[in-house]
Amino acid sequence: MPASYPANEPAPLILVFHGKSQNASEIEAQTQLSSPDFNSNAIVVYPQGIKNQWTGDPEAPPLHEINDVEFANDLLQHVENNYCIDLDRIYATGFSNGGGLVGLLACSVQLSQKIAAFAAASGAFYKDSALREPLFSNCDPRRSPVPIMEFHGSKDPIIHYDGKTTPDGHTYSLPEWLQDWAGRNGCEGSEDQNSTSVLYDGGVERSAWTCHGRKDVVVHYYIHGFGHGWPTTTPLDNDFQRYGPTYFNATPIVMDFFEKHPMLPLGDFAT
């Protein structure tokens, strides 16, 4: 809970999903999304996956046994029933398998209409061939555009950038995944709808798409030399797979992205 939270004033809500084999406390410590240094007014919820994993992983049970998309919907309803939530400022972010789940929430008929914007770090977006049943290929958001952001390292050893050699099975390459979202969001067309900026003396490439006249609807940070983890400039306990700290902290970038993308009224986006 933010220190400034007044019980009678609607507050933004952020759902944060840990990576596979992590727990909720670890992702809280790594992202610092509850820190007043980054977050002055949002309620942050860190759910815990059964056996430290989420729907979307090749080893996760089939949907008829455990459906974490439905769980997220139920969780959201529970929080809304018990706290004063700004329904136009509900967001979801996650790391690795948790980032994959965030991608599934963005594709969900129900949750794409409830969650205003999404962000993933080292997102695990698996092809059907790697899973027990089709998941990421069944993407049916009921609004457009859906603001979505992703951070990925060029040297990610767990979820490979090109997707083809990911150890647990093929994942979507990040360029393919981004183009799919650009297409769903109606970003394709004139050349100025996609722009790329080179940052940190070539260490980072930021790509952004303009969709339906809204800037920075699909945003991606390609981090040269970075591995698998939440980007920070400080050491973390998983630096062995992150390949150390990197050029920037993802958390304030995610918070700024969320701030810029509240849920629009129904008349302001295509359905």
Side-chain angles (χ1 to χ4, degrees), residues 91-112:
Y91 305 102
T93 187
F95 159 60
S96 190
N97 175 214
L101 179 60
V102 165
L104 294 177
L105 303 186
C107 288
S108 162
V109 170
Q110 289 181 302
L111 290 169
S112 64

Side-chain angles (χ1 to χ4, degrees), residues 26-49:
E26 288 177 276
I27 196 66
E28 179 180 9
Q30 290 176 1
T31 63
Q32 294 291 296
L33 279 159
S34 295
S35 168
D37 292 339
F38 303 120
N39 175 9
S40 62
N41 66 339
I43 297 172
V44 188
V45 176
Y46 303 88
Q48 179 65 52

